């Protein structure tokens, strides 16, 4: 069986690594990896392949930047050419990026089955490009691998075929379990920045809804600076965020925030694990905070990971009331035996299901 995997953004590299490691150990499967180029910064892309021990992509389309339509259109053309050449049996897609959408459209129009990992997530905000991407991808897929019961119910409410839906757990949890010990051994990030365990707040900001809105961005950083007056606040600076801050004239030299360059996955695991609280607008970091049993504040009005809100491990703060929510987040207690995202074997289940389906067809 030939699997073609389309990836393009940092979280997808991590998710794909879990599946690729299982495929390498499984007879009868060959994987072709296609990198769209959506994340082009070295620290946001190439370093992940090295750290995660996955093969370099067979194809790198080198498509990045531009408006959503132009970027997705170029990816669609590039992926279609690869599909026509490789003729895979199944296309695997992850998450909700433009790379995901382009892969879904290219595959379904060529009548190639699509397997969507992280299917069924919904923020119910269609102003988010990610929400549109994930809905279209789900409705184009033959295999819908959901990470949680909530995601499964979302798909059933939308009338998708129950036989196509399989609740397998979250491959991001697989990755955290797989790489945490390696991070403890190899990462020097805490000593490099003189960080003490539970002695700092970790912050990440990159979503367009925050970085492209000057008022929101100013409100967020005003709140972060107030917090940073009393507690060490570490922020790996995403290239998009840096550019947006420069546009609004942000004074990096006078900021109490500790800005650092973007970090690789192993360093990020260590920063998350030893933070006292995590403040983020990232979907993946919300989950990783939960995996590491660290309270999380999300700088959005809604989240696709609704079970974290219901469970009281994550708090929505929007762009204005960080300090109030920060006090509440400090009181979070995690149930030791509770796991919302499976048992860490999602990748194995996915590969077994795809192989069995291929052999039976």
């Amino acid at each position: 069986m030939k699997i073609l995997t389309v990836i393009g953004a940092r979280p997808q590299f991590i998710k794909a690594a879990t599946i690729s490691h299982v495929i390498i150990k499984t007879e009868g499967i060959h994987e072709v990896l296609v990198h769209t180029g959506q994340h082009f910064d070295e620290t946001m892309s190439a370093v992940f392949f090295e750290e995660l021990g996955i093969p370099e992509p067979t194809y790198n389309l080198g498509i990045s930047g531009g408006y959503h339509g132009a970027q997705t259109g170029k990816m669609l053309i590039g992926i279609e050419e690869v599909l026509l050449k490789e003729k895979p049996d199944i296309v695997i897609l992850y998450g909700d990026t433009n790379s995901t959408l382009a892969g879904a459209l290219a595959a379904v129009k060529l009548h190639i089955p699509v397997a969507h990992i992280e299917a069924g997530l919904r923020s119910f905000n269609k102003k988010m490009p990610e929400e549109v991407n994930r809905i279209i991808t789900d409705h184009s897929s033959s295999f819908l691998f959901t990470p949680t019961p909530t995601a499964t119910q979302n798909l059933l409410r939308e009338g998708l075929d129950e036989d196509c839906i399989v609740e397998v757990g979250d491959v991001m949890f697989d990755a955290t379990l797989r790489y945490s010990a390696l991070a403890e051994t190899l990462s020097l990030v805490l000593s490099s920045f003189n960080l003490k365990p539970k002695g700092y707040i970790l912050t990440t900001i990159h979503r367009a809804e925050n970085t492209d809105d000057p008022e929101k961005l100013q409100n967020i950083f005003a709140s972060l600076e107030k917090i940073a007056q009393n507690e060490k606040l570490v922020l790996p600076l995403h290239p998009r965020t840096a550019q947006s801050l420069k546009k609004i004239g942000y004074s990096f030299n006078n900021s109490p925030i500790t800005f650092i360059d973007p970090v690789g996955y192993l360093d990020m695991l260590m920063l998350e694990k030893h933070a006292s609280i995590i403040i983020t607008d990232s979907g993946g970091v919300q989950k990783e905070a939960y995996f590491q049993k660290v309270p999380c504040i999300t700088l959005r009005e809604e989240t696709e990971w609704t079970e974290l809100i219901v469970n009281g491990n994550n708090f929505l703060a929007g762009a204005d009331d960080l300090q109030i929510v920060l006090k509440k987040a400090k009181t979070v207690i995690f149930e030791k035996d509770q796991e919302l995202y499976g048992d860490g074997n999602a990748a194995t289940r996915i590969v077994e299901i795809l192989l069995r389906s291929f052999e039976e067809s």
Side-chain angles (χ1 to χ4, degrees):
M1 175 175 67
K2 181 188 283 190
I3 289 175
L4 188 140
T5 300
V6 177
I7 53 177
R10 163 183 167 151
Q12 294 172 329
F13 308 151
I14 301 166
K15 298 165 193 173
T18 64
I19 301 292
S20 293
H21 281 295
V22 176
I23 288 174
I24 289 169
K25 297 184 294 183
T26 305
E27 291 186 11
I29 305 181
H30 170 63
E31 183 180 33
V32 175
L33 200 59
V34 179
H35 181 6
T36 63
Q38 188 168 337
H39 276 178
F40 57 93
D41 187 276
E42 178 73 16
T43 56
M44 305 295 287
S45 180
V47 67
F48 279 78
F49 293 101
E50 180 181 347
E51 281 193 344
L52 300 174
I54 55 178
E56 284 292 318
T58 313
Y59 298 89
N60 191 325
L61 305 182
I63 300 166
S64 62
Y67 293 111
H68 286 285
Q71 185 185 77
T72 306
K74 291 176 183 177
M75 290 177 182
L76 179 56
I77 293 169
I79 294 169
E80 183 179 58
E81 290 175 352
V82 174
L83 292 177
L84 289 169
K85 179 181 177 181
E86 293 288 345
K87 296 180 173 57
D89 299 295
I90 295 172
V91 171
I92 290 182
L93 304 171
Y94 296 88
D96 53 22
T97 67
N98 289 341
S99 300
T100 309
L101 176 61
L105 293 173
V108 75
K109 287 178 179 293
L110 292 173
H111 310 293
I112 301 170
V114 172
H116 187 203
I117 296 172
E118 277 193 347
L121 301 185
R122 297 292 183 268
S123 67
F124 303 101
N125 178 5
K126 289 188 179 179
K127 291 182 179 179
M128 294 175 58
E130 295 88 350
E131 182 78 351
V132 176
N133 291 348
R134 60 174 72 110
I135 290 172
I136 294 173
T137 301
D138 281 341
H139 284 257
S140 303
S141 297
S142 301
F143 298 89
L144 294 159
F145 294 112
T146 60
T148 64
T150 301
T152 299
Q153 289 304 311
N154 287 338
L155 295 177
L156 292 173
R157 277 195 297 270
E158 291 176 15
L160 290 171
D161 187 349
E162 187 174 1
D163 292 337
C164 297
I165 304 169
V166 188
E167 194 175 305
V168 293
D170 196 314
V171 292
M172 288 288 283
F173 186 42
D174 292 23
T176 298
L177 294 178
R178 179 183 180 90
Y179 293 105
S180 286
L182 188 63
E184 290 281 0
T185 302
L186 297 182
S187 175
L188 300 175
V189 69
L190 296 186
S191 59
S192 295
F193 296 103
N194 195 28
L195 300 177
K196 296 180 180 179
K198 304 306 175 185
Y200 61 93
I201 295 171
L202 176 65
T203 303
T204 75
I205 300 168
H206 78 280
R207 295 189 89 91
E209 63 192 86
N210 287 327
T211 61
D212 293 354
D213 185 322
E215 184 177 355
K216 276 189 176 182
L217 196 63
Q218 287 176 332
N219 287 340
I220 288 171
F221 274 84
S223 296
L224 292 177
E225 286 191 351
K226 289 178 183 177
I227 294 169
Q229 297 286 351
N230 300 310
E231 301 187 61
K232 192 174 186 69
L233 193 148
V234 179
L235 196 157
L237 190 57
H238 191 286
R240 175 193 287 155
T241 311
Q243 187 177 28
S244 296
L245 286 172
K246 289 175 184 176
K247 286 181 179 178
I248 64 172
Y250 185 78
S251 177
F252 288 94
N253 292 332
N254 296 321
S255 176
I257 298 169
T258 302
F259 291 99
I260 64 175
D261 290 334
V263 297
Y265 181 54
L266 299 184
D267 284 344
M268 192 63 181
L269 283 178
M270 288 296 289
L271 287 172
E272 290 167 342
K273 180 178 181 179
H274 294 290
S276 59
I277 294 172
I278 293 174
I279 301 174
T280 187
D281 60 7
S282 162
V285 174
Q286 291 175 54
K287 285 187 300 175
E288 288 169 341
Y290 175 76
F291 300 156
Q292 302 289 7
K293 307 304 181 192
V294 176
C296 184
I297 298 170
T298 298
L299 305 177
R300 290 164 54 185
E301 301 295 339
E302 70 285 307
T303 178
E304 56 274 25
W305 302 106
T306 53
E307 58 280 341
L308 293 176
I309 306 300
V310 173
N311 210 47
N313 309 120
N314 189 0
F315 303 92
L316 296 175
D320 297 309
D321 53 352
L322 274 180
Q323 295 191 80
I324 297 172
V325 182
L326 182 63
K327 294 176 184 178
K328 186 176 182 182
K330 290 181 178 178
T331 67
V332 172
I333 298 174
F334 287 83
E335 298 293 336
K336 288 185 179 181
D337 299 326
Q338 185 181 34
E339 292 298 350
L340 300 176
Y341 298 101
D343 58 5
N345 293 301
T348 299
R349 292 192 185 95
I350 289 167
V351 173
E352 288 175 349
I353 290 167
L354 293 178
L355 184 58
R356 187 185 315 126
S357 175
F358 175 75
E359 291 173 343
E360 292 174 354
S361 63

